PDB file of all heavy atoms in Angstrom:
ATOM      1  N   ALA X   1     145.643 138.932 116.308  1.00  0.00           N
ATOM      2  CA  ALA X   1     146.102 138.154 117.581  1.00  0.00           C
ATOM      3  C   ALA X   1     145.479 136.736 117.451  1.00  0.00           C
ATOM      4  O   ALA X   1     146.241 135.675 117.565  1.00  0.00           O
ATOM      5  CB  ALA X   1     145.733 138.782 118.931  1.00  0.00           C
ATOM      6  N   ILE X   2     144.232 136.701 117.002  1.00  0.00           N
ATOM      7  CA  ILE X   2     143.579 135.394 116.903  1.00  0.00           C
ATOM      8  C   ILE X   2     144.272 134.560 115.751  1.00  0.00           C
ATOM      9  O   ILE X   2     144.465 133.426 115.827  1.00  0.00           O
ATOM     10  CB  ILE X   2     142.097 135.560 116.767  1.00  0.00           C
ATOM     11  CG1 ILE X   2     141.503 136.024 118.056  1.00  0.00           C
ATOM     12  CG2 ILE X   2     141.438 134.303 116.242  1.00  0.00           C
ATOM     13  CD1 ILE X   2     140.002 136.375 117.987  1.00  0.00           C
ATOM     14  N   ALA X   3     144.436 135.349 114.645  1.00  0.00           N
ATOM     15  CA  ALA X   3     145.092 134.618 113.476  1.00  0.00           C
ATOM     16  C   ALA X   3     146.465 134.125 113.827  1.00  0.00           C
ATOM     17  O   ALA X   3     146.902 132.983 113.496  1.00  0.00           O
ATOM     18  CB  ALA X   3     145.250 135.619 112.384  1.00  0.00           C
ATOM     19  N   MET X   4     147.290 134.917 114.697  1.00  0.00           N
ATOM     20  CA  MET X   4     148.560 134.432 115.102  1.00  0.00           C
ATOM     21  C   MET X   4     148.433 133.231 115.898  1.00  0.00           C
ATOM     22  O   MET X   4     149.247 132.282 115.859  1.00  0.00           O
ATOM     23  CB  MET X   4     149.233 135.685 115.849  1.00  0.00           C
ATOM     24  CG  MET X   4     150.613 135.286 116.250  1.00  0.00           C
ATOM     25  SD  MET X   4     151.550 136.625 117.075  1.00  0.00           S
ATOM     26  CE  MET X   4     150.518 136.863 118.554  1.00  0.00           C
ATOM     27  N   ALA X   5     147.521 133.250 116.856  1.00  0.00           N
ATOM     28  CA  ALA X   5     147.355 132.082 117.771  1.00  0.00           C
ATOM     29  C   ALA X   5     146.943 130.807 116.855  1.00  0.00           C
ATOM     30  O   ALA X   5     147.483 129.742 117.063  1.00  0.00           O
ATOM     31  CB  ALA X   5     146.295 132.281 118.835  1.00  0.00           C
ATOM     32  N   SER X   6     146.149 131.001 115.827  1.00  0.00           N
ATOM     33  CA  SER X   6     145.735 129.933 115.158  1.00  0.00           C
ATOM     34  C   SER X   6     146.915 129.368 114.234  1.00  0.00           C
ATOM     35  O   SER X   6     147.070 128.222 114.144  1.00  0.00           O
ATOM     36  CB  SER X   6     144.668 130.403 114.070  1.00  0.00           C
ATOM     37  OG  SER X   6     144.327 129.434 113.122  1.00  0.00           O
ATOM     38  N   GLN X   7     147.720 130.328 113.794  1.00  0.00           N
ATOM     39  CA  GLN X   7     148.985 129.975 113.094  1.00  0.00           C
ATOM     40  C   GLN X   7     149.962 129.038 113.844  1.00  0.00           C
ATOM     41  O   GLN X   7     150.477 128.047 113.553  1.00  0.00           O
ATOM     42  CB  GLN X   7     149.780 131.140 112.556  1.00  0.00           C
ATOM     43  CG  GLN X   7     149.109 131.832 111.402  1.00  0.00           C
ATOM     44  CD  GLN X   7     149.866 133.183 111.082  1.00  0.00           C
ATOM     45  OE1 GLN X   7     150.929 133.386 111.481  1.00  0.00           O
ATOM     46  NE2 GLN X   7     149.206 134.026 110.230  1.00  0.00           N
ATOM     47  N   LEU X   8     150.001 129.447 115.147  1.00  0.00           N
ATOM     48  CA  LEU X   8     150.900 128.844 116.098  1.00  0.00           C
ATOM     49  C   LEU X   8     150.382 127.409 116.369  1.00  0.00           C
ATOM     50  O   LEU X   8     151.136 126.448 116.441  1.00  0.00           O
ATOM     51  CB  LEU X   8     151.133 129.665 117.402  1.00  0.00           C
ATOM     52  CG  LEU X   8     152.201 129.052 118.347  1.00  0.00           C
ATOM     53  CD1 LEU X   8     153.530 128.966 117.774  1.00  0.00           C
ATOM     54  CD2 LEU X   8     152.227 129.924 119.512  1.00  0.00           C
ATOM     55  N   ILE X   9     149.089 127.316 116.668  1.00  0.00           N
ATOM     56  CA  ILE X   9     148.528 126.035 116.891  1.00  0.00           C
ATOM     57  C   ILE X   9     148.560 125.122 115.802  1.00  0.00           C
ATOM     58  O   ILE X   9     149.014 123.945 116.009  1.00  0.00           O
ATOM     59  CB  ILE X   9     146.981 126.231 117.416  1.00  0.00           C
ATOM     60  CG1 ILE X   9     146.864 126.901 118.691  1.00  0.00           C
ATOM     61  CG2 ILE X   9     146.246 124.892 117.413  1.00  0.00           C
ATOM     62  CD1 ILE X   9     145.434 127.465 119.049  1.00  0.00           C
ATOM     63  N   CYS X  10     148.261 125.538 114.663  1.00  0.00           N
ATOM     64  CA  CYS X  10     148.448 124.672 113.364  1.00  0.00           C
ATOM     65  C   CYS X  10     149.901 124.322 113.115  1.00  0.00           C
ATOM     66  O   CYS X  10     150.109 123.204 112.775  1.00  0.00           O
ATOM     67  CB  CYS X  10     147.843 125.374 112.208  1.00  0.00           C
ATOM     68  SG  CYS X  10     145.960 125.487 112.323  1.00  0.00           S
ATOM     69  N   ALA X  11     150.799 125.284 113.232  1.00  0.00           N
ATOM     70  CA  ALA X  11     152.229 124.908 113.002  1.00  0.00           C
ATOM     71  C   ALA X  11     152.720 123.914 114.027  1.00  0.00           C
ATOM     72  O   ALA X  11     153.413 122.992 113.667  1.00  0.00           O
ATOM     73  CB  ALA X  11     153.061 126.241 113.067  1.00  0.00           C
ATOM     74  N   LEU X  12     152.309 124.012 115.243  1.00  0.00           N
ATOM     75  CA  LEU X  12     152.728 123.033 116.243  1.00  0.00           C
ATOM     76  C   LEU X  12     152.162 121.684 115.961  1.00  0.00           C
ATOM     77  O   LEU X  12     152.868 120.615 116.050  1.00  0.00           O
ATOM     78  CB  LEU X  12     152.273 123.548 117.714  1.00  0.00           C
ATOM     79  CG  LEU X  12     152.604 122.650 118.829  1.00  0.00           C
ATOM     80  CD1 LEU X  12     154.032 122.369 119.090  1.00  0.00           C
ATOM     81  CD2 LEU X  12     152.006 123.146 120.171  1.00  0.00           C
ATOM     82  N   TRP X  13     150.834 121.704 115.627  1.00  0.00           N
ATOM     83  CA  TRP X  13     150.164 120.378 115.280  1.00  0.00           C
ATOM     84  C   TRP X  13     150.877 119.722 114.069  1.00  0.00           C
ATOM     85  O   TRP X  13     151.268 118.531 114.114  1.00  0.00           O
ATOM     86  CB  TRP X  13     148.751 120.682 115.015  1.00  0.00           C
ATOM     87  CG  TRP X  13     147.866 119.609 114.640  1.00  0.00           C
ATOM     88  CD1 TRP X  13     148.084 118.203 114.874  1.00  0.00           C
ATOM     89  CD2 TRP X  13     146.592 119.640 114.102  1.00  0.00           C
ATOM     90  NE1 TRP X  13     147.103 117.509 114.390  1.00  0.00           N
ATOM     91  CE2 TRP X  13     146.133 118.374 113.906  1.00  0.00           C
ATOM     92  CE3 TRP X  13     145.705 120.681 113.670  1.00  0.00           C
ATOM     93  CZ2 TRP X  13     144.783 118.036 113.369  1.00  0.00           C
ATOM     94  CZ3 TRP X  13     144.489 120.381 113.093  1.00  0.00           C
ATOM     95  CH2 TRP X  13     144.069 119.117 112.915  1.00  0.00           C
ATOM     96  N   TRP X  14     150.983 120.528 112.972  1.00  0.00           N
ATOM     97  CA  TRP X  14     151.781 119.978 111.779  1.00  0.00           C
ATOM     98  C   TRP X  14     153.116 119.522 112.025  1.00  0.00           C
ATOM     99  O   TRP X  14     153.688 118.518 111.419  1.00  0.00           O
ATOM    100  CB  TRP X  14     151.610 120.912 110.605  1.00  0.00           C
ATOM    101  CG  TRP X  14     150.053 121.145 110.271  1.00  0.00           C
ATOM    102  CD1 TRP X  14     149.093 120.269 110.416  1.00  0.00           C
ATOM    103  CD2 TRP X  14     149.604 122.400 109.821  1.00  0.00           C
ATOM    104  NE1 TRP X  14     147.873 120.896 110.000  1.00  0.00           N
ATOM    105  CE2 TRP X  14     148.194 122.151 109.592  1.00  0.00           C
ATOM    106  CE3 TRP X  14     150.113 123.576 109.497  1.00  0.00           C
ATOM    107  CZ2 TRP X  14     147.362 123.171 109.087  1.00  0.00           C
ATOM    108  CZ3 TRP X  14     149.244 124.689 108.964  1.00  0.00           C
ATOM    109  CH2 TRP X  14     147.949 124.353 108.796  1.00  0.00           C
ATOM    110  N   ASP X  15     153.903 120.300 112.850  1.00  0.00           N
ATOM    111  CA  ASP X  15     155.299 119.991 113.106  1.00  0.00           C
ATOM    112  C   ASP X  15     155.311 118.677 113.928  1.00  0.00           C
ATOM    113  O   ASP X  15     156.022 117.787 113.684  1.00  0.00           O
ATOM    114  CB  ASP X  15     155.946 121.035 114.029  1.00  0.00           C
ATOM    115  CG  ASP X  15     156.732 122.109 113.136  1.00  0.00           C
ATOM    116  OD1 ASP X  15     156.756 121.943 111.941  1.00  0.00           O
ATOM    117  OD2 ASP X  15     157.120 123.116 113.667  1.00  0.00           O
ATOM    118  N   SER X  16     154.452 118.599 114.900  1.00  0.00           N
ATOM    119  CA  SER X  16     154.458 117.402 115.791  1.00  0.00           C
ATOM    120  C   SER X  16     154.046 116.213 114.978  1.00  0.00           C
ATOM    121  O   SER X  16     154.495 114.960 115.276  1.00  0.00           O
ATOM    122  CB  SER X  16     153.459 117.654 116.941  1.00  0.00           C
ATOM    123  OG  SER X  16     153.816 118.612 117.742  1.00  0.00           O
ATOM    124  N   ALA X  17     153.045 116.296 113.967  1.00  0.00           N
ATOM    125  CA  ALA X  17     152.618 115.187 113.218  1.00  0.00           C
ATOM    126  C   ALA X  17     153.596 114.851 112.056  1.00  0.00           C
ATOM    127  O   ALA X  17     153.532 113.863 111.466  1.00  0.00           O
ATOM    128  CB  ALA X  17     151.326 115.426 112.755  1.00  0.00           C
ATOM    129  N   GLY X  18     154.519 115.830 111.700  1.00  0.00           N
ATOM    130  CA  GLY X  18     155.324 115.662 110.547  1.00  0.00           C
ATOM    131  C   GLY X  18     154.555 115.713 109.229  1.00  0.00           C
ATOM    132  O   GLY X  18     155.017 115.167 108.256  1.00  0.00           O
ATOM    133  N   TRP X  19     153.449 116.392 109.162  1.00  0.00           N
ATOM    134  CA  TRP X  19     152.701 116.501 107.966  1.00  0.00           C
ATOM    135  C   TRP X  19     153.317 117.434 106.875  1.00  0.00           C
ATOM    136  O   TRP X  19     154.236 118.283 107.178  1.00  0.00           O
ATOM    137  CB  TRP X  19     151.235 117.054 108.276  1.00  0.00           C
ATOM    138  CG  TRP X  19     150.426 116.157 109.117  1.00  0.00           C
ATOM    139  CD1 TRP X  19     150.706 114.821 109.452  1.00  0.00           C
ATOM    140  CD2 TRP X  19     149.192 116.370 109.551  1.00  0.00           C
ATOM    141  NE1 TRP X  19     149.663 114.243 110.075  1.00  0.00           N
ATOM    142  CE2 TRP X  19     148.761 115.243 110.413  1.00  0.00           C
ATOM    143  CE3 TRP X  19     148.330 117.481 109.566  1.00  0.00           C
ATOM    144  CZ2 TRP X  19     147.444 115.183 110.986  1.00  0.00           C
ATOM    145  CZ3 TRP X  19     147.067 117.355 110.308  1.00  0.00           C
ATOM    146  CH2 TRP X  19     146.641 116.249 110.981  1.00  0.00           C
ATOM    147  N   PHE X  20     152.743 117.338 105.686  1.00  0.00           N
ATOM    148  CA  PHE X  20     153.299 118.113 104.490  1.00  0.00           C
ATOM    149  C   PHE X  20     154.784 118.074 104.239  1.00  0.00           C
ATOM    150  O   PHE X  20     155.334 118.935 103.827  1.00  0.00           O
ATOM    151  CB  PHE X  20     152.889 119.564 104.709  1.00  0.00           C
ATOM    152  CG  PHE X  20     151.392 119.685 104.986  1.00  0.00           C
ATOM    153  CD1 PHE X  20     150.919 120.299 106.175  1.00  0.00           C
ATOM    154  CD2 PHE X  20     150.430 119.340 104.062  1.00  0.00           C
ATOM    155  CE1 PHE X  20     149.526 120.365 106.453  1.00  0.00           C
ATOM    156  CE2 PHE X  20     149.054 119.495 104.336  1.00  0.00           C
ATOM    157  CZ  PHE X  20     148.522 120.006 105.527  1.00  0.00           C
ATOM    158  N   GLY X  21     155.328 116.941 104.667  1.00  0.00           N
ATOM    159  CA  GLY X  21     156.752 116.786 104.348  1.00  0.00           C
ATOM    160  C   GLY X  21     157.653 117.469 105.354  1.00  0.00           C
ATOM    161  O   GLY X  21     158.869 117.555 105.168  1.00  0.00           O
ATOM    162  N   LEU X  22     157.068 117.937 106.464  1.00  0.00           N
ATOM    163  CA  LEU X  22     157.974 118.601 107.438  1.00  0.00           C
ATOM    164  C   LEU X  22     158.645 117.513 108.337  1.00  0.00           C
ATOM    165  O   LEU X  22     158.130 116.480 108.483  1.00  0.00           O
ATOM    166  CB  LEU X  22     156.960 119.484 108.400  1.00  0.00           C
ATOM    167  CG  LEU X  22     156.282 120.556 107.735  1.00  0.00           C
ATOM    168  CD1 LEU X  22     155.237 121.229 108.785  1.00  0.00           C
ATOM    169  CD2 LEU X  22     157.190 121.647 107.243  1.00  0.00           C
ATOM    170  N   GLU X  23     159.812 117.952 108.879  1.00  0.00           N
ATOM    171  CA  GLU X  23     160.470 117.104 109.746  1.00  0.00           C
ATOM    172  C   GLU X  23     159.719 117.035 111.028  1.00  0.00           C
ATOM    173  O   GLU X  23     159.310 118.070 111.564  1.00  0.00           O
ATOM    174  CB  GLU X  23     161.850 117.656 110.042  1.00  0.00           C
ATOM    175  CG  GLU X  23     162.730 116.811 111.067  1.00  0.00           C
ATOM    176  CD  GLU X  23     164.099 117.487 111.338  1.00  0.00           C
ATOM    177  OE1 GLU X  23     164.578 118.224 110.422  1.00  0.00           O
ATOM    178  OE2 GLU X  23     164.635 117.135 112.329  1.00  0.00           O
ATOM    179  N   GLN X  24     159.369 115.751 111.562  1.00  0.00           N
ATOM    180  CA  GLN X  24     158.541 115.631 112.778  1.00  0.00           C
ATOM    181  C   GLN X  24     159.315 116.103 113.935  1.00  0.00           C
ATOM    182  O   GLN X  24     160.454 115.758 114.208  1.00  0.00           O
ATOM    183  CB  GLN X  24     158.236 114.203 112.961  1.00  0.00           C
ATOM    184  CG  GLN X  24     157.218 114.071 114.045  1.00  0.00           C
ATOM    185  CD  GLN X  24     156.628 112.631 114.104  1.00  0.00           C
ATOM    186  OE1 GLN X  24     157.037 111.771 113.363  1.00  0.00           O
ATOM    187  NE2 GLN X  24     155.622 112.310 114.819  1.00  0.00           N
ATOM    188  N   VAL X  25     158.749 117.087 114.672  1.00  0.00           N
ATOM    189  CA  VAL X  25     159.279 117.659 115.948  1.00  0.00           C
ATOM    190  C   VAL X  25     158.400 117.240 117.061  1.00  0.00           C
ATOM    191  O   VAL X  25     157.229 117.482 117.072  1.00  0.00           O
ATOM    192  CB  VAL X  25     159.285 119.231 115.838  1.00  0.00           C
ATOM    193  CG1 VAL X  25     159.950 119.752 117.054  1.00  0.00           C
ATOM    194  CG2 VAL X  25     160.201 119.648 114.644  1.00  0.00           C
ATOM    195  N   PRO X  26     158.952 116.519 118.019  1.00  0.00           N
ATOM    196  CA  PRO X  26     158.156 116.065 119.124  1.00  0.00           C
ATOM    197  C   PRO X  26     157.424 117.142 119.947  1.00  0.00           C
ATOM    198  O   PRO X  26     157.956 118.225 120.169  1.00  0.00           O
ATOM    199  CB  PRO X  26     159.114 115.375 120.043  1.00  0.00           C
ATOM    200  CG  PRO X  26     160.360 115.117 119.306  1.00  0.00           C
ATOM    201  CD  PRO X  26     160.288 116.200 118.190  1.00  0.00           C
ATOM    202  N   PHE X  27     156.158 116.867 120.210  1.00  0.00           N
ATOM    203  CA  PHE X  27     155.329 117.716 120.990  1.00  0.00           C
ATOM    204  C   PHE X  27     155.888 117.714 122.559  1.00  0.00           C
ATOM    205  O   PHE X  27     156.133 116.551 123.002  1.00  0.00           O
ATOM    206  CB  PHE X  27     153.794 117.346 120.971  1.00  0.00           C
ATOM    207  CG  PHE X  27     153.017 118.288 121.857  1.00  0.00           C
ATOM    208  CD1 PHE X  27     152.510 119.469 121.332  1.00  0.00           C
ATOM    209  CD2 PHE X  27     152.610 117.880 123.132  1.00  0.00           C
ATOM    210  CE1 PHE X  27     151.704 120.299 122.125  1.00  0.00           C
ATOM    211  CE2 PHE X  27     151.857 118.676 123.873  1.00  0.00           C
ATOM    212  CZ  PHE X  27     151.445 119.890 123.396  1.00  0.00           C
ATOM    213  N   THR X  28     155.979 118.849 123.121  1.00  0.00           N
ATOM    214  CA  THR X  28     156.435 118.809 124.498  1.00  0.00           C
ATOM    215  C   THR X  28     155.455 119.577 125.328  1.00  0.00           C
ATOM    216  O   THR X  28     154.678 120.383 124.816  1.00  0.00           O
ATOM    217  CB  THR X  28     157.823 119.434 124.681  1.00  0.00           C
ATOM    218  OG1 THR X  28     157.811 120.850 124.278  1.00  0.00           O
ATOM    219  CG2 THR X  28     158.808 118.669 123.837  1.00  0.00           C
ATOM    220  N   LEU X  29     155.488 119.302 126.669  1.00  0.00           N
ATOM    221  CA  LEU X  29     154.633 120.142 127.511  1.00  0.00           C
ATOM    222  C   LEU X  29     154.965 121.603 127.467  1.00  0.00           C
ATOM    223  O   LEU X  29     154.157 122.548 127.431  1.00  0.00           O
ATOM    224  CB  LEU X  29     154.853 119.658 129.010  1.00  0.00           C
ATOM    225  CG  LEU X  29     153.945 120.366 130.089  1.00  0.00           C
ATOM    226  CD1 LEU X  29     152.486 120.188 129.759  1.00  0.00           C
ATOM    227  CD2 LEU X  29     154.412 119.840 131.432  1.00  0.00           C
ATOM    228  N   GLN X  30     156.210 121.940 127.339  1.00  0.00           N
ATOM    229  CA  GLN X  30     156.663 123.332 127.276  1.00  0.00           C
ATOM    230  C   GLN X  30     156.015 124.089 126.037  1.00  0.00           C
ATOM    231  O   GLN X  30     155.558 125.190 126.127  1.00  0.00           O
ATOM    232  CB  GLN X  30     158.180 123.346 127.079  1.00  0.00           C
ATOM    233  CG  GLN X  30     158.715 124.743 127.127  1.00  0.00           C
ATOM    234  CD  GLN X  30     160.257 124.834 127.026  1.00  0.00           C
ATOM    235  OE1 GLN X  30     160.938 123.790 126.825  1.00  0.00           O
ATOM    236  NE2 GLN X  30     160.894 125.933 127.258  1.00  0.00           N
ATOM    237  N   LYS X  31     156.066 123.314 124.838  1.00  0.00           N
ATOM    238  CA  LYS X  31     155.413 123.948 123.710  1.00  0.00           C
ATOM    239  C   LYS X  31     153.849 124.173 123.834  1.00  0.00           C
ATOM    240  O   LYS X  31     153.318 125.129 123.508  1.00  0.00           O
ATOM    241  CB  LYS X  31     155.601 123.052 122.386  1.00  0.00           C
ATOM    242  CG  LYS X  31     157.161 123.042 122.024  1.00  0.00           C
ATOM    243  CD  LYS X  31     157.405 122.054 120.925  1.00  0.00           C
ATOM    244  CE  LYS X  31     158.906 122.026 120.585  1.00  0.00           C
ATOM    245  NZ  LYS X  31     159.201 120.934 119.683  1.00  0.00           N
ATOM    246  N   GLY X  32     153.255 123.139 124.461  1.00  0.00           N
ATOM    247  CA  GLY X  32     151.773 123.231 124.735  1.00  0.00           C
ATOM    248  C   GLY X  32     151.503 124.394 125.623  1.00  0.00           C
ATOM    249  O   GLY X  32     150.490 125.137 125.424  1.00  0.00           O
ATOM    250  N   LEU X  33     152.337 124.580 126.708  1.00  0.00           N
ATOM    251  CA  LEU X  33     152.085 125.681 127.654  1.00  0.00           C
ATOM    252  C   LEU X  33     152.390 127.041 126.913  1.00  0.00           C
ATOM    253  O   LEU X  33     151.610 127.955 127.202  1.00  0.00           O
ATOM    254  CB  LEU X  33     153.043 125.474 128.850  1.00  0.00           C
ATOM    255  CG  LEU X  33     152.642 124.431 129.847  1.00  0.00           C
ATOM    256  CD1 LEU X  33     153.701 124.243 130.934  1.00  0.00           C
ATOM    257  CD2 LEU X  33     151.315 124.562 130.466  1.00  0.00           C
ATOM    258  N   GLY X  34     153.294 127.133 126.057  1.00  0.00           N
ATOM    259  CA  GLY X  34     153.521 128.366 125.334  1.00  0.00           C
ATOM    260  C   GLY X  34     152.369 128.705 124.508  1.00  0.00           C
ATOM    261  O   GLY X  34     151.963 129.826 124.430  1.00  0.00           O
ATOM    262  N   VAL X  35     151.658 127.765 123.781  1.00  0.00           N
ATOM    263  CA  VAL X  35     150.477 128.007 122.894  1.00  0.00           C
ATOM    264  C   VAL X  35     149.319 128.498 124.013  1.00  0.00           C
ATOM    265  O   VAL X  35     148.655 129.428 123.615  1.00  0.00           O
ATOM    266  CB  VAL X  35     150.089 126.797 122.242  1.00  0.00           C
ATOM    267  CG1 VAL X  35     148.699 126.924 121.544  1.00  0.00           C
ATOM    268  CG2 VAL X  35     151.099 126.515 121.130  1.00  0.00           C
ATOM    269  N   LEU X  36     149.169 127.781 125.133  1.00  0.00           N
ATOM    270  CA  LEU X  36     148.176 128.161 126.090  1.00  0.00           C
ATOM    271  C   LEU X  36     148.372 129.541 126.630  1.00  0.00           C
ATOM    272  O   LEU X  36     147.438 130.338 126.871  1.00  0.00           O
ATOM    273  CB  LEU X  36     148.137 127.092 127.257  1.00  0.00           C
ATOM    274  CG  LEU X  36     147.464 125.809 126.780  1.00  0.00           C
ATOM    275  CD1 LEU X  36     147.583 124.841 127.980  1.00  0.00           C
ATOM    276  CD2 LEU X  36     146.058 125.925 126.242  1.00  0.00           C
ATOM    277  N   ALA X  37     149.721 129.853 126.802  1.00  0.00           N
ATOM    278  CA  ALA X  37     149.959 131.212 127.367  1.00  0.00           C
ATOM    279  C   ALA X  37     149.608 132.280 126.294  1.00  0.00           C
ATOM    280  O   ALA X  37     149.082 133.374 126.735  1.00  0.00           O
ATOM    281  CB  ALA X  37     151.483 131.326 127.730  1.00  0.00           C
ATOM    282  N   LEU X  38     149.894 132.104 125.070  1.00  0.00           N
ATOM    283  CA  LEU X  38     149.452 133.005 124.018  1.00  0.00           C
ATOM    284  C   LEU X  38     147.980 133.213 123.877  1.00  0.00           C
ATOM    285  O   LEU X  38     147.514 134.241 123.854  1.00  0.00           O
ATOM    286  CB  LEU X  38     149.944 132.503 122.643  1.00  0.00           C
ATOM    287  CG  LEU X  38     149.675 133.420 121.424  1.00  0.00           C
ATOM    288  CD1 LEU X  38     150.307 134.779 121.532  1.00  0.00           C
ATOM    289  CD2 LEU X  38     149.977 132.663 120.205  1.00  0.00           C
ATOM    290  N   ILE X  39     147.250 132.074 124.048  1.00  0.00           N
ATOM    291  CA  ILE X  39     145.783 132.149 123.963  1.00  0.00           C
ATOM    292  C   ILE X  39     145.348 132.814 125.232  1.00  0.00           C
ATOM    293  O   ILE X  39     144.397 133.673 125.121  1.00  0.00           O
ATOM    294  CB  ILE X  39     145.229 130.720 123.827  1.00  0.00           C
ATOM    295  CG1 ILE X  39     145.522 130.127 122.503  1.00  0.00           C
ATOM    296  CG2 ILE X  39     143.659 130.727 124.083  1.00  0.00           C
ATOM    297  CD1 ILE X  39     145.235 128.588 122.432  1.00  0.00           C
ATOM    298  N   GLY X  40     145.966 132.566 126.342  1.00  0.00           N
ATOM    299  CA  GLY X  40     145.442 133.260 127.602  1.00  0.00           C
ATOM    300  C   GLY X  40     145.806 134.731 127.459  1.00  0.00           C
ATOM    301  O   GLY X  40     144.991 135.651 127.942  1.00  0.00           O
ATOM    302  N   GLY X  41     146.862 135.131 126.789  1.00  0.00           N
ATOM    303  CA  GLY X  41     147.160 136.503 126.580  1.00  0.00           C
ATOM    304  C   GLY X  41     146.056 137.242 125.835  1.00  0.00           C
ATOM    305  O   GLY X  41     145.707 138.350 126.037  1.00  0.00           O
ATOM    306  N   ILE X  42     145.506 136.433 124.776  1.00  0.00           N
ATOM    307  CA  ILE X  42     144.603 137.094 123.821  1.00  0.00           C
ATOM    308  C   ILE X  42     143.255 137.351 124.734  1.00  0.00           C
ATOM    309  O   ILE X  42     142.614 138.288 124.607  1.00  0.00           O
ATOM    310  CB  ILE X  42     144.323 136.217 122.686  1.00  0.00           C
ATOM    311  CG1 ILE X  42     145.610 136.268 121.712  1.00  0.00           C
ATOM    312  CG2 ILE X  42     143.064 136.644 121.965  1.00  0.00           C
ATOM    313  CD1 ILE X  42     145.540 135.192 120.669  1.00  0.00           C
ATOM    314  N   ILE X  43     142.960 136.333 125.581  1.00  0.00           N
ATOM    315  CA  ILE X  43     141.695 136.450 126.401  1.00  0.00           C
ATOM    316  C   ILE X  43     141.920 137.602 127.341  1.00  0.00           C
ATOM    317  O   ILE X  43     140.932 138.384 127.490  1.00  0.00           O
ATOM    318  CB  ILE X  43     141.564 135.100 127.098  1.00  0.00           C
ATOM    319  CG1 ILE X  43     141.084 134.027 126.072  1.00  0.00           C
ATOM    320  CG2 ILE X  43     140.410 135.299 128.190  1.00  0.00           C
ATOM    321  CD1 ILE X  43     141.105 132.617 126.558  1.00  0.00           C
ATOM    322  N   VAL X  44     143.018 137.723 128.019  1.00  0.00           N
ATOM    323  CA  VAL X  44     143.231 138.873 128.905  1.00  0.00           C
ATOM    324  C   VAL X  44     143.146 140.116 128.151  1.00  0.00           C
ATOM    325  O   VAL X  44     142.613 141.144 128.671  1.00  0.00           O
ATOM    326  CB  VAL X  44     144.595 138.764 129.587  1.00  0.00           C
ATOM    327  CG1 VAL X  44     145.013 139.951 130.338  1.00  0.00           C
ATOM    328  CG2 VAL X  44     144.552 137.488 130.604  1.00  0.00           C
TER     329      VAL X  44
END
């Protein structure tokens, strides 16, 4: 679960920045809340 959360956070960060030749995908509040919900689920 922690590895999955880490993957999602890094993927969101790299997508939003357009790193490693990825197409840049704008960061949105909805995406940020989705990541926080996942982390909250792991804590719960």
Side-chain angles (χ1 to χ4, degrees):
I2 290 173
M4 184 177 63
S6 174
Q7 289 176 12
L8 185 59
I9 291 166
C10 290
L12 178 60
W13 181 16
W14 297 328
D15 271 350
S16 297
W19 291 354
F20 306 118
L22 297 172
E23 181 181 336
Q24 189 170 7
V25 178
F27 179 84
T28 64
L29 180 61
Q30 183 180 12
K31 291 176 185 174
L33 289 174
V35 170
L36 289 176
L38 178 65
I39 293 169
I42 293 169
I43 292 168
V44 167

